Amino acid sequence: MGRLIAISNRTAADASARAGGLAVAVWESLTATGGIWFGWSGNIVKDTPAAPDVFTDEGVEFVVTDFTEAEHDGFYLQFANRVIWPIFHYRVDLAHFGNTDFETYAAVNERIASLVVPRLEKGDSVWVHDYHFLLMGDYLRRGGWTGPIGFFLHIPFPSPEIFKALPEHEQIARAMCEYSVLGFQSETDRSNFVRYLTENYDAIDDGDGWIGVFGRRIRVNAYPIGIQADAFEKAAISARAKTASSRIGKFLGGRQLVLGVDRMDYSKGLPQRFEAVGKLFDHFPATRGKVSVTQIAPPSRSKVEEYRDLRIQLDELAGRINGDYGDLDWIPLRYLARSYDRRELAGLYRIARICLVTPLRDGMNLVAKEFVMAQDPEDPGVLILSEFAGAAEQLSDALIVNPHDTYHVAETIYRGLEMSLEERKERWGKLRRTVVEQDISWWRQKFLDDLDADLA
Ligand code: ADP
Protein backbone atom coordinates (compact mmCIF):
# COMPACT_ATOMS: atom_id res chain seq x y z
CA MET A 1 0.00 0.00 0.00
CA GLY A 2 1.17 3.55 -0.79
CA ARG A 3 0.67 6.54 1.48
CA LEU A 4 -2.50 6.82 3.51
CA ILE A 5 -4.27 10.17 3.56
CA ALA A 6 -6.67 10.52 6.50
CA ILE A 7 -9.36 13.16 6.83
CA SER A 8 -11.34 13.64 10.04
CA ASN A 9 -12.75 16.62 11.88
CA ARG A 10 -10.50 16.17 14.93
CA THR A 11 -7.01 14.82 14.33
CA ALA A 12 -4.48 13.45 16.78
CA ALA A 13 -2.17 16.42 16.19
CA ASP A 14 -2.07 16.80 19.95
CA ALA A 15 -0.26 13.69 21.30
CA SER A 16 -2.65 13.44 24.26
CA ALA A 17 -5.56 12.99 21.84
CA ARG A 18 -3.95 9.78 20.52
CA ALA A 19 -5.46 7.78 23.37
CA GLY A 20 -8.90 7.48 21.70
CA GLY A 21 -9.74 4.39 19.64
CA LEU A 22 -10.09 6.06 16.26
CA ALA A 23 -7.03 8.23 16.81
CA VAL A 24 -4.98 5.16 17.69
CA ALA A 25 -6.09 3.22 14.61
CA VAL A 26 -5.50 6.07 12.18
CA TRP A 27 -2.23 7.04 13.83
CA GLU A 28 -0.92 3.46 13.64
CA SER A 29 -1.79 3.25 9.96
CA LEU A 30 -0.20 6.59 9.16
CA THR A 31 3.03 5.84 10.99
CA ALA A 32 3.20 2.42 9.25
CA THR A 33 2.67 3.65 5.69
CA GLY A 34 3.64 7.32 5.94
CA GLY A 35 0.97 9.81 5.13
CA ILE A 36 -0.93 12.98 5.85
CA TRP A 37 -3.75 13.73 8.29
CA PHE A 38 -6.12 16.58 7.43
CA GLY A 39 -8.62 18.15 9.79
CA TRP A 40 -9.63 21.02 12.02
CA SER A 41 -6.99 22.74 14.17
CA GLY A 42 -9.47 23.20 17.01
CA ASN A 43 -9.17 27.00 16.65
CA ILE A 44 -11.93 29.39 15.66
CA VAL A 45 -11.10 32.69 13.94
CA LYS A 46 -13.29 35.69 13.22
CA ASP A 47 -13.11 35.75 9.42
CA THR A 48 -10.99 34.24 6.66
CA PRO A 49 -8.74 31.49 8.02
CA ALA A 50 -5.01 31.79 7.38
CA ALA A 51 -3.20 29.10 5.36
CA PRO A 52 -3.40 25.72 7.14
CA ASP A 53 -0.89 24.80 9.75
CA VAL A 54 1.45 22.13 8.35
CA PHE A 55 3.84 20.17 10.57
CA THR A 56 5.32 16.70 10.90
CA ASP A 57 5.33 14.42 13.92
CA GLU A 58 6.97 10.97 13.90
CA GLY A 59 6.93 10.95 10.10
CA VAL A 60 3.24 11.84 9.87
CA GLU A 61 2.38 15.13 8.25
CA PHE A 62 -0.51 17.14 9.68
CA VAL A 63 -2.41 19.74 7.69
CA VAL A 64 -4.94 21.42 9.95
CA THR A 65 -7.08 24.46 9.32
CA ASP A 66 -8.88 26.91 11.58
CA PHE A 67 -12.63 27.38 11.17
CA THR A 68 -14.25 30.77 10.94
CA GLU A 69 -17.01 31.51 13.45
CA ALA A 70 -19.56 31.08 10.66
CA GLU A 71 -18.09 27.72 9.64
CA HIS A 72 -17.90 26.46 13.19
CA ASP A 73 -21.52 27.39 13.73
CA GLY A 74 -23.11 26.31 10.42
CA PHE A 75 -20.95 23.26 9.71
CA TYR A 76 -20.15 21.87 13.13
CA LEU A 77 -22.69 23.04 15.70
CA GLN A 78 -25.68 23.20 13.38
CA PHE A 79 -25.64 20.86 10.38
CA ALA A 80 -23.34 18.15 11.75
CA ASN A 81 -24.58 18.13 15.32
CA ARG A 82 -28.15 19.43 15.16
CA VAL A 83 -29.24 17.87 11.85
CA ILE A 84 -27.17 14.81 10.95
CA TRP A 85 -26.51 13.63 14.51
CA PRO A 86 -30.17 13.55 15.62
CA ILE A 87 -31.49 12.17 12.32
CA PHE A 88 -28.89 9.42 12.09
CA HIS A 89 -29.78 8.51 15.69
CA TYR A 90 -33.47 8.30 14.68
CA ARG A 91 -34.41 11.56 16.46
CA VAL A 92 -36.04 13.53 13.67
CA ASP A 93 -37.98 15.36 16.40
CA LEU A 94 -34.74 16.94 17.64
CA ALA A 95 -33.42 18.06 14.24
CA HIS A 96 -33.16 21.81 13.58
CA PHE A 97 -33.23 22.61 9.90
CA GLY A 98 -31.65 26.02 9.28
CA ASN A 99 -31.83 27.72 5.89
CA THR A 100 -28.15 28.00 5.13
CA ASP A 101 -26.47 25.41 7.34
CA PHE A 102 -26.26 22.78 4.61
CA GLU A 103 -24.52 25.30 2.36
CA THR A 104 -21.96 25.97 5.07
CA TYR A 105 -21.55 22.23 5.64
CA ALA A 106 -20.93 21.67 1.92
CA ALA A 107 -18.58 24.67 1.72
CA VAL A 108 -16.41 23.34 4.55
CA ASN A 109 -16.25 19.91 2.87
CA GLU A 110 -15.24 21.64 -0.36
CA ARG A 111 -12.65 23.87 1.31
CA ILE A 112 -10.95 20.96 3.03
CA ALA A 113 -11.04 18.93 -0.21
CA SER A 114 -9.25 21.84 -1.89
CA LEU A 115 -6.45 21.54 0.69
CA VAL A 116 -6.20 17.79 0.08
CA VAL A 117 -6.29 17.46 -3.73
CA PRO A 118 -3.04 19.34 -4.55
CA ARG A 119 -1.17 17.17 -2.03
CA LEU A 120 -2.34 13.81 -3.41
CA GLU A 121 0.03 11.59 -5.41
CA LYS A 122 -0.55 8.54 -7.57
CA GLY A 123 -0.68 5.42 -5.38
CA ASP A 124 -2.20 7.23 -2.35
CA SER A 125 -5.34 5.95 -0.64
CA VAL A 126 -7.67 8.39 1.06
CA TRP A 127 -9.61 7.46 4.20
CA VAL A 128 -12.38 9.87 5.26
CA HIS A 129 -14.02 9.62 8.69
CA ASP A 130 -17.47 10.26 9.97
CA TYR A 131 -20.57 12.36 9.55
CA HIS A 132 -18.79 15.70 9.28
CA PHE A 133 -17.50 14.78 5.83
CA LEU A 134 -20.24 12.87 4.01
CA LEU A 135 -19.63 15.03 0.91
CA MET A 136 -15.82 14.85 0.89
CA GLY A 137 -15.58 12.08 -1.74
CA ASP A 138 -17.62 14.08 -4.21
CA TYR A 139 -15.45 17.18 -3.79
CA LEU A 140 -12.24 15.15 -4.13
CA ARG A 141 -13.59 13.67 -7.38
CA ARG A 142 -14.58 17.11 -8.65
CA GLY A 143 -11.04 18.22 -7.86
CA GLY A 144 -9.82 15.50 -10.24
CA TRP A 145 -8.83 12.67 -7.87
CA THR A 146 -9.66 9.27 -9.41
CA GLY A 147 -7.81 7.03 -6.92
CA PRO A 148 -9.35 5.06 -4.04
CA ILE A 149 -11.31 6.87 -1.33
CA GLY A 150 -12.71 5.03 1.65
CA PHE A 151 -15.29 6.41 4.03
CA PHE A 152 -16.18 5.10 7.47
CA LEU A 153 -19.31 6.24 9.30
CA HIS A 154 -18.80 5.99 13.07
CA ILE A 155 -22.45 6.70 13.90
CA PRO A 156 -25.54 4.70 12.83
CA PHE A 157 -27.11 5.01 9.40
CA PRO A 158 -30.89 5.28 9.83
CA SER A 159 -33.63 3.41 8.04
CA PRO A 160 -34.54 5.00 4.66
CA GLU A 161 -37.85 6.35 6.01
CA ILE A 162 -35.90 8.39 8.58
CA PHE A 163 -33.02 9.35 6.27
CA LYS A 164 -35.53 10.85 3.84
CA ALA A 165 -36.53 13.40 6.46
CA LEU A 166 -33.23 15.08 5.63
CA PRO A 167 -34.11 17.62 2.92
CA GLU A 168 -30.74 17.07 1.21
CA HIS A 169 -30.88 13.26 1.40
CA GLU A 170 -30.45 12.69 -2.32
CA GLN A 171 -27.50 15.04 -2.66
CA ILE A 172 -25.84 13.43 0.34
CA ALA A 173 -26.47 9.86 -0.86
CA ARG A 174 -25.14 10.63 -4.36
CA ALA A 175 -22.02 12.16 -2.84
CA MET A 176 -21.57 9.10 -0.60
CA CYS A 177 -21.62 6.90 -3.69
CA GLU A 178 -18.50 8.67 -4.98
CA TYR A 179 -16.46 6.77 -2.39
CA SER A 180 -14.82 3.52 -3.50
CA VAL A 181 -15.43 1.78 -0.17
CA LEU A 182 -18.25 2.76 2.17
CA GLY A 183 -17.98 1.36 5.68
CA PHE A 184 -20.70 1.13 8.32
CA GLN A 185 -20.56 -0.07 11.91
CA SER A 186 -23.19 -2.81 11.63
CA GLU A 187 -25.10 -4.96 9.16
CA THR A 188 -28.23 -3.02 10.16
CA ASP A 189 -26.65 0.27 9.07
CA ARG A 190 -25.35 -1.25 5.87
CA SER A 191 -28.68 -2.73 4.94
CA ASN A 192 -30.46 0.57 5.70
CA PHE A 193 -28.18 2.35 3.24
CA VAL A 194 -28.50 -0.36 0.59
CA ARG A 195 -32.28 -0.45 0.98
CA TYR A 196 -32.41 3.34 0.50
CA LEU A 197 -30.44 2.97 -2.74
CA THR A 198 -32.38 -0.01 -4.09
CA GLU A 199 -35.81 1.45 -3.27
CA ASN A 200 -35.10 4.91 -4.65
CA TYR A 201 -32.43 4.55 -7.31
CA ASP A 202 -32.73 0.95 -8.58
CA ALA A 203 -29.38 0.00 -7.12
CA ILE A 204 -28.28 -3.58 -7.68
CA ASP A 205 -26.84 -5.51 -4.76
CA ASP A 206 -24.36 -7.91 -6.41
CA GLY A 207 -23.63 -9.74 -3.18
CA ASP A 208 -20.10 -9.93 -1.76
CA GLY A 209 -20.46 -6.30 -0.69
CA TRP A 210 -20.67 -4.77 -4.16
CA ILE A 211 -23.42 -2.32 -5.12
CA GLY A 212 -24.11 -0.95 -8.59
CA VAL A 213 -25.74 2.50 -8.51
CA PHE A 214 -25.59 5.86 -10.33
CA GLY A 215 -23.47 4.20 -13.02
CA ARG A 216 -20.79 3.19 -10.54
CA ARG A 217 -19.81 0.08 -8.60
CA ILE A 218 -18.93 0.63 -4.97
CA ARG A 219 -18.06 -1.63 -2.10
CA VAL A 220 -20.46 -1.27 0.85
CA ASN A 221 -19.71 -3.26 3.98
CA ALA A 222 -19.98 -3.43 7.76
CA TYR A 223 -16.68 -2.99 9.61
CA PRO A 224 -17.52 -3.01 13.34
CA ILE A 225 -14.92 -0.90 15.11
CA GLY A 226 -12.97 -2.50 17.96
CA ILE A 227 -10.89 -1.31 20.90
CA GLN A 228 -7.24 -1.80 21.85
CA ALA A 229 -8.22 -4.92 23.75
CA ASP A 230 -4.84 -5.89 25.17
CA ALA A 231 -4.04 -2.35 26.31
CA PHE A 232 -7.40 -2.05 28.04
CA GLU A 233 -6.94 -5.37 29.79
CA LYS A 234 -3.63 -4.10 31.17
CA ALA A 235 -5.16 -0.74 32.13
CA ALA A 236 -7.66 -2.59 34.34
CA ILE A 237 -4.91 -4.00 36.55
CA SER A 238 -2.80 -0.82 36.65
CA ALA A 239 -2.08 0.97 39.93
CA ARG A 240 -4.40 3.81 38.89
CA ALA A 241 -7.24 1.32 38.26
CA LYS A 242 -6.70 -0.32 41.63
CA THR A 243 -6.85 3.04 43.40
CA ALA A 244 -10.15 3.85 41.66
CA SER A 245 -11.58 0.40 42.57
CA SER A 246 -10.64 0.80 46.19
CA ARG A 247 -12.04 4.35 46.39
CA ILE A 248 -15.43 3.28 45.09
CA GLY A 249 -15.15 0.07 47.14
CA LYS A 250 -15.13 2.21 50.31
CA PHE A 251 -18.26 3.97 49.18
CA LEU A 252 -19.98 0.68 48.29
CA GLY A 253 -19.37 -0.88 51.69
CA GLY A 254 -20.03 -4.40 50.35
CA ARG A 255 -22.97 -3.46 48.12
CA GLN A 256 -23.07 -4.60 44.50
CA LEU A 257 -22.12 -1.96 41.93
CA VAL A 258 -24.31 -1.42 38.87
CA LEU A 259 -22.38 0.95 36.60
CA GLY A 260 -23.16 3.15 33.59
CA VAL A 261 -20.52 5.16 31.67
CA ASP A 262 -21.71 7.40 28.85
CA ARG A 263 -21.26 10.84 27.41
CA MET A 264 -24.33 12.82 28.41
CA ASP A 265 -26.15 12.51 25.12
CA TYR A 266 -29.82 11.92 24.32
CA SER A 267 -28.88 8.87 22.22
CA LYS A 268 -27.64 7.06 25.34
CA GLY A 269 -31.10 6.46 26.86
CA LEU A 270 -30.19 7.82 30.28
CA PRO A 271 -33.69 8.91 31.37
CA GLN A 272 -35.05 5.47 30.44
CA ARG A 273 -32.16 3.86 32.33
CA PHE A 274 -32.93 5.90 35.45
CA GLU A 275 -36.60 4.89 35.14
CA ALA A 276 -35.51 1.26 34.98
CA VAL A 277 -33.44 1.73 38.15
CA GLY A 278 -36.50 3.17 39.89
CA LYS A 279 -38.48 0.08 38.81
CA LEU A 280 -35.73 -2.22 40.06
CA PHE A 281 -36.03 -0.84 43.59
CA ASP A 282 -39.80 -0.73 43.33
CA HIS A 283 -40.46 -4.26 42.04
CA PHE A 284 -37.45 -6.09 43.46
CA PRO A 285 -37.34 -4.93 47.09
CA ALA A 286 -34.54 -7.39 47.90
CA THR A 287 -32.19 -5.02 46.04
CA ARG A 288 -32.93 -2.08 48.36
CA GLY A 289 -29.89 -1.21 50.41
CA LYS A 290 -27.92 -3.98 48.67
CA VAL A 291 -27.20 -2.38 45.31
CA SER A 292 -25.65 0.92 44.39
CA VAL A 293 -26.12 2.32 40.90
CA THR A 294 -23.44 4.75 39.72
CA GLN A 295 -23.81 6.57 36.42
CA ILE A 296 -20.81 8.44 35.08
CA ALA A 297 -21.91 10.94 32.47
CA PRO A 298 -19.65 13.84 31.54
CA PRO A 299 -21.65 16.67 29.94
CA SER A 300 -21.06 17.07 26.21
CA ARG A 301 -22.11 19.88 23.86
CA SER A 302 -23.52 21.62 26.91
CA LYS A 303 -24.15 24.86 25.00
CA VAL A 304 -26.81 23.16 22.88
CA GLU A 305 -30.39 23.42 24.12
CA GLU A 306 -31.29 19.70 23.77
CA TYR A 307 -28.32 18.81 25.97
CA ARG A 308 -29.23 21.38 28.63
CA ASP A 309 -32.75 19.93 28.74
CA LEU A 310 -31.36 16.42 29.19
CA ARG A 311 -29.24 17.53 32.12
CA ILE A 312 -32.26 19.02 33.86
CA GLN A 313 -34.28 15.86 33.24
CA LEU A 314 -31.55 13.63 34.70
CA ASP A 315 -31.09 15.84 37.77
CA GLU A 316 -34.82 15.59 38.43
CA LEU A 317 -35.06 11.83 37.92
CA ALA A 318 -32.02 11.06 40.08
CA GLY A 319 -33.36 13.38 42.80
CA ARG A 320 -36.71 11.63 42.74
CA ILE A 321 -35.30 8.11 42.91
CA ASN A 322 -32.98 9.00 45.78
CA GLY A 323 -35.81 10.81 47.55
CA ASP A 324 -38.16 7.84 47.16
CA TYR A 325 -35.82 4.97 47.96
CA GLY A 326 -32.70 6.36 49.66
CA ASP A 327 -32.00 5.92 53.35
CA LEU A 328 -29.69 7.36 56.00
CA ASP A 329 -26.87 5.07 54.96
CA TRP A 330 -27.72 4.39 51.32
CA ILE A 331 -27.73 6.43 48.11
CA PRO A 332 -29.50 4.25 45.51
CA LEU A 333 -28.46 6.17 42.38
CA ARG A 334 -25.35 8.30 42.15
CA TYR A 335 -24.66 10.25 39.08
CA LEU A 336 -21.34 11.92 38.45
CA ALA A 337 -21.23 14.48 35.65
CA ARG A 338 -17.49 14.35 35.07
CA SER A 339 -14.73 12.57 33.15
CA TYR A 340 -12.27 10.03 34.47
CA ASP A 341 -8.92 8.81 33.23
CA ARG A 342 -9.35 5.60 31.21
CA ARG A 343 -7.36 3.58 33.77
CA GLU A 344 -9.71 4.81 36.50
CA LEU A 345 -12.70 3.86 34.35
CA ALA A 346 -11.14 0.44 33.82
CA GLY A 347 -10.87 0.02 37.60
CA LEU A 348 -14.55 0.92 38.00
CA TYR A 349 -15.61 -1.51 35.27
CA ARG A 350 -13.64 -4.25 36.97
CA ILE A 351 -15.36 -3.86 40.31
CA ALA A 352 -18.85 -3.50 38.79
CA ARG A 353 -21.16 -6.49 39.00
CA ILE A 354 -23.24 -5.13 36.13
CA CYS A 355 -22.56 -2.63 33.37
CA LEU A 356 -25.62 -0.97 31.87
CA VAL A 357 -25.10 -0.10 28.21
CA THR A 358 -28.60 0.81 27.13
CA PRO A 359 -28.48 3.46 24.37
CA LEU A 360 -31.63 4.10 22.34
CA ARG A 361 -29.32 4.13 19.31
CA ASP A 362 -25.55 3.85 19.05
CA GLY A 363 -23.17 3.30 16.13
CA MET A 364 -21.09 0.78 18.07
CA ASN A 365 -20.60 1.60 21.78
CA LEU A 366 -17.07 1.10 22.96
CA VAL A 367 -17.94 1.15 26.65
CA ALA A 368 -19.45 -2.34 26.21
CA LYS A 369 -16.15 -3.66 24.82
CA GLU A 370 -14.04 -1.88 27.43
CA PHE A 371 -16.17 -3.36 30.22
CA VAL A 372 -15.59 -6.88 28.85
CA MET A 373 -11.82 -6.43 28.72
CA ALA A 374 -11.62 -5.02 32.25
CA GLN A 375 -13.18 -8.03 34.01
CA ASP A 376 -11.53 -10.30 36.54
CA PRO A 377 -11.57 -13.78 34.87
CA GLU A 378 -12.33 -15.40 38.24
CA ASP A 379 -15.30 -13.17 38.99
CA PRO A 380 -16.53 -11.47 35.81
CA GLY A 381 -19.42 -9.02 35.78
CA VAL A 382 -22.50 -9.06 33.57
CA LEU A 383 -23.02 -6.86 30.52
CA ILE A 384 -26.54 -5.61 29.86
CA LEU A 385 -26.63 -4.34 26.31
CA SER A 386 -29.22 -2.54 24.21
CA GLU A 387 -30.35 -4.28 21.05
CA PHE A 388 -30.02 -0.85 19.38
CA ALA A 389 -26.25 -0.55 19.91
CA GLY A 390 -24.13 -1.68 16.96
CA ALA A 391 -22.15 -3.79 19.46
CA ALA A 392 -25.18 -6.08 19.97
CA GLU A 393 -24.50 -7.76 16.61
CA GLN A 394 -21.12 -8.99 17.86
CA LEU A 395 -21.83 -9.29 21.60
CA SER A 396 -24.88 -11.54 21.55
CA ASP A 397 -23.71 -13.30 24.75
CA ALA A 398 -24.51 -10.18 26.75
CA LEU A 399 -28.00 -9.88 28.27
CA ILE A 400 -29.72 -8.07 25.40
CA VAL A 401 -32.53 -5.63 26.23
CA ASN A 402 -34.90 -3.16 24.63
CA PRO A 403 -34.06 0.07 26.50
CA HIS A 404 -37.60 1.41 26.05
CA ASP A 405 -38.99 -1.56 28.00
CA THR A 406 -37.89 -0.24 31.37
CA TYR A 407 -39.60 -2.97 33.40
CA HIS A 408 -37.74 -5.61 31.41
CA VAL A 409 -34.46 -3.73 31.94
CA ALA A 410 -35.18 -3.73 35.70
CA GLU A 411 -35.90 -7.48 35.58
CA THR A 412 -32.69 -8.05 33.62
CA ILE A 413 -30.63 -6.12 36.19
CA TYR A 414 -32.12 -8.39 38.84
CA ARG A 415 -31.31 -11.45 36.73
CA GLY A 416 -27.72 -10.22 36.36
CA LEU A 417 -27.40 -9.73 40.13
CA GLU A 418 -28.62 -13.28 40.70
CA MET A 419 -26.59 -14.91 37.93
CA SER A 420 -24.39 -17.85 38.96
CA LEU A 421 -20.62 -17.55 38.74
CA GLU A 422 -20.62 -20.39 36.20
CA GLU A 423 -22.98 -18.59 33.82
CA ARG A 424 -21.13 -15.29 34.24
CA LYS A 425 -17.84 -16.98 33.36
CA GLU A 426 -19.30 -18.74 30.35
CA ARG A 427 -20.88 -15.62 28.89
CA TRP A 428 -17.86 -13.46 29.62
CA GLY A 429 -15.45 -15.97 28.02
CA LYS A 430 -17.36 -15.78 24.73
CA LEU A 431 -17.62 -11.99 24.86
CA ARG A 432 -13.93 -11.64 25.58
CA ARG A 433 -12.97 -13.85 22.65
CA THR A 434 -14.93 -11.64 20.27
CA VAL A 435 -13.54 -8.38 21.64
CA VAL A 436 -9.97 -9.72 21.45
CA GLU A 437 -10.32 -11.20 17.96
CA GLN A 438 -12.13 -8.20 16.49
CA ASP A 439 -10.01 -5.48 18.04
CA ILE A 440 -8.95 -2.13 16.62
CA SER A 441 -6.14 -3.55 14.46
CA TRP A 442 -8.51 -6.16 12.98
CA TRP A 443 -10.95 -3.35 12.08
CA ARG A 444 -8.30 -1.17 10.48
CA GLN A 445 -6.85 -4.07 8.51
CA LYS A 446 -10.25 -5.25 7.28
CA PHE A 447 -11.09 -1.76 6.02
CA LEU A 448 -7.71 -1.04 4.47
CA ASP A 449 -7.59 -4.47 2.75
CA ASP A 450 -10.82 -3.61 0.96
CA LEU A 451 -9.56 -0.14 0.09
CA ASP A 452 -6.32 -1.65 -1.16
CA ALA A 453 -8.20 -4.13 -3.33
CA ASP A 454 -9.64 -1.12 -5.13
CA LEU A 455 -6.11 -0.13 -6.18
CA ALA A 456 -5.36 -3.52 -7.73
P1 ADP B 1 -19.57 7.83 22.03
O1 ADP B 1 -18.46 7.77 21.00
O2 ADP B 1 -20.94 8.05 21.48
O3 ADP B 1 -19.29 8.77 23.15
P2 ADP B 1 -18.64 5.15 22.84
O4 ADP B 1 -19.14 4.27 23.94
O5 ADP B 1 -18.44 4.47 21.55
O6 ADP B 1 -19.64 6.37 22.72
O7 ADP B 1 -17.24 5.77 23.25
C1 ADP B 1 -17.14 6.54 24.41
C2 ADP B 1 -15.69 6.61 24.86
O8 ADP B 1 -15.57 7.66 25.81
C3 ADP B 1 -15.22 5.33 25.54
O9 ADP B 1 -13.91 5.04 25.16
C4 ADP B 1 -15.30 5.67 27.03
O10 ADP B 1 -14.33 5.03 27.82
C5 ADP B 1 -15.09 7.16 27.03
N1 ADP B 1 -15.84 7.77 28.15
C6 ADP B 1 -17.16 7.71 28.36
N2 ADP B 1 -17.50 8.34 29.51
C7 ADP B 1 -16.35 8.78 30.06
C8 ADP B 1 -15.99 9.49 31.27
N3 ADP B 1 -16.89 9.85 32.17
N4 ADP B 1 -14.71 9.77 31.45
C9 ADP B 1 -13.77 9.41 30.55
N5 ADP B 1 -14.03 8.74 29.42
C10 ADP B 1 -15.30 8.43 29.17
Side-chain angles (χ1 to χ4, degrees):
M1 180 164 189
R3 294 189 313 173
L4 184 67
I5 311 299
I7 308 173
S8 60
N9 185 51
R10 299 310 292 261
T11 70
D14 171 5
S16 64
R18 276 172 218 157
L22 161 72
V24 169
V26 174
W27 177 253
E28 276 178 5
S29 323
L30 286 168
T31 46
T33 57
I36 317 179
W37 197 337
F38 291 85
W40 176 35
S41 65
N43 301 323
I44 302 168
V45 293
K46 219 160 183 53
D47 0 74
T48 331
D53 203 8
V54 181
F55 53 92
T56 303
D57 190 4
E58 294 185 41
V60 175
E61 195 177 339
F62 286 89
V63 180
V64 293
T65 177
D66 301 341
F67 285 159
T68 64
E69 283 175 1
E71 285 177 336
H72 182 253
D73 185 56
F75 161 79
Y76 181 76
L77 294 177
Q78 301 303 322
F79 200 78
N81 285 319
R82 288 186 98 189
V83 181
I84 301 179
W85 179 274
I87 291 181
F88 282 34
H89 286 87
Y90 294 69
R91 292 299 302 269
V92 180
D93 59 316
L94 294 183
H96 287 256
F97 301 104
N99 292 338
T100 56
D101 298 330
F102 179 70
E103 283 163 35
T104 312
Y105 177 85
V108 170
N109 275 249
E110 185 173 18
R111 185 164 79 75
I112 294 192
S114 75
L115 301 177
V116 177
V117 170
R119 290 175 169 86
L120 291 176
E121 294 168 6
K122 197 168 168 14
D124 287 348
S125 298
V126 184
W127 193 4
V128 181
H129 289 270
D130 226 358
Y131 63 102
H132 311 93
F133 295 130
L134 294 167
L135 308 176
M136 183 62 67
D138 187 30
Y139 287 117
L140 294 174
R141 298 281 182 230
R142 291 194 210 185
W145 175 249
T146 54
I149 319 176
F151 175 82
F152 184 74
L153 183 66
H154 291 256
I155 66 174
F157 190 86
S159 64
E161 294 75 14
I162 303 264
F163 182 56
K164 286 170 84 172
L166 195 57
E168 299 83 7
H169 64 87
E170 178 172 352
Q171 199 171 334
I172 290 175
R174 283 183 182 271
M176 287 172 76
C177 292
E178 292 295 332
Y179 290 109
S180 332
V181 177
L182 258 173
F184 294 95
Q185 293 276 27
S186 67
E187 290 300 335
T188 305
D189 300 326
R190 178 197 186 269
S191 72
N192 282 339
F193 184 69
V194 172
R195 185 158 72 82
Y196 169 83
L197 293 178
T198 45
E199 287 177 0
N200 296 283
Y201 305 103
D202 300 326
I204 307 287
D205 188 348
D206 287 349
D208 292 340
W210 287 97
I211 303 291
V213 68
F214 306 132
R216 293 174 44 78
R217 276 188 94 232
I218 52 175
R219 204 189 268 268
V220 183
N221 264 323
Y223 305 89
I225 198 167
I227 62 166
Q228 274 185 298
D230 50 352
F232 211 86
E233 197 162 49
K234 288 198 188 91
I237 48 171
S238 64
R240 193 98 185 243
K242 285 182 183 148
T243 308
S245 304
S246 79
R247 279 181 66 197
I248 200 166
K250 279 192 207 129
F251 162 79
L252 289 170
R255 297 186 177 98
Q256 306 258 39
L257 174 64
V258 174
L259 179 69
V261 173
D262 307 74
R263 244 176 348 95
M264 198 181 287
D265 190 286
Y266 50 78
S267 63
K268 302 294 183 184
L270 295 171
Q272 290 79 355
R273 193 179 304 172
F274 285 14
E275 296 273 358
V277 167
K279 287 184 182 165
L280 172 75
F281 296 128
D282 202 17
H283 295 275
F284 301 91
T287 59
R288 291 185 205 157
K290 301 282 189 301
V291 172
S292 185
V293 181
T294 295
Q295 174 66 51
I296 297 176
S300 70
R301 304 173 196 162
S302 46
K303 290 196 197 79
V304 178
E305 190 184 313
E306 297 79 65
Y307 290 79
R308 280 202 304 263
D309 293 348
L310 175 64
R311 175 75 202 249
I312 293 167
Q313 198 185 358
L314 293 177
D315 290 349
E316 259 176 36
L317 275 167
R320 201 185 72 209
I321 290 168
N322 287 328
D324 284 351
Y325 300 102
D327 209 337
L328 297 176
D329 56 355
W330 177 50
I331 302 170
L333 171 62
R334 267 206 321 174
Y335 118 77
L336 307 172
R338 52 160 292 184
S339 292
Y340 287 89
D341 179 271
R342 55 195 277 284
R343 287 162 297 177
E344 292 177 317
L345 279 185
L348 301 183
Y349 291 139
R350 192 170 175 94
I351 203 171
R353 177 60 184 273
I354 290 183
C355 187
L356 289 176
V357 181
T358 56
L360 304 182
R361 209 39 86 163
D362 214 330
M364 174 51 56
N365 197 288
L366 299 178
V367 166
K369 295 184 174 180
E370 293 169 354
F371 173 75
V372 169
M373 289 319 298
Q375 295 311 296
D376 175 356
E378 296 310 317
D379 186 20
V382 175
L383 176 62
I384 297 184
L385 181 59
S386 163
E387 63 181 293
F388 305 120
E393 286 185 7
Q394 291 168 296
L395 305 183
S396 54
D397 289 293
L399 297 181
I400 305 290
V401 293
N402 171 355
H404 299 280
D405 187 352
T406 51
Y407 180 74
H408 182 238
V409 174
E411 250 180 353
T412 308
I413 299 173
Y414 189 67
R415 181 177 162 203
L417 292 167
E418 295 283 295
M419 192 183 283
S420 69
L421 179 61
E422 192 188 354
E423 183 178 351
R424 281 190 278 136
K425 279 186 172 173
E426 192 183 325
R427 286 178 180 272
W428 173 75
K430 291 183 189 157
L431 293 171
R432 182 181 179 280
R433 228 178 349 267
T434 306
V435 178
V436 168
E437 279 169 11
Q438 303 180 357
D439 69 352
I440 188 84
S441 310
W442 169 88
W443 169 77
R444 169 177 60 113
Q445 206 51 54
K446 189 167 147 71
F447 190 94
L448 292 179
D449 283 351
D450 279 358
L451 191 56
D452 230 5
D454 194 61
L455 267 177

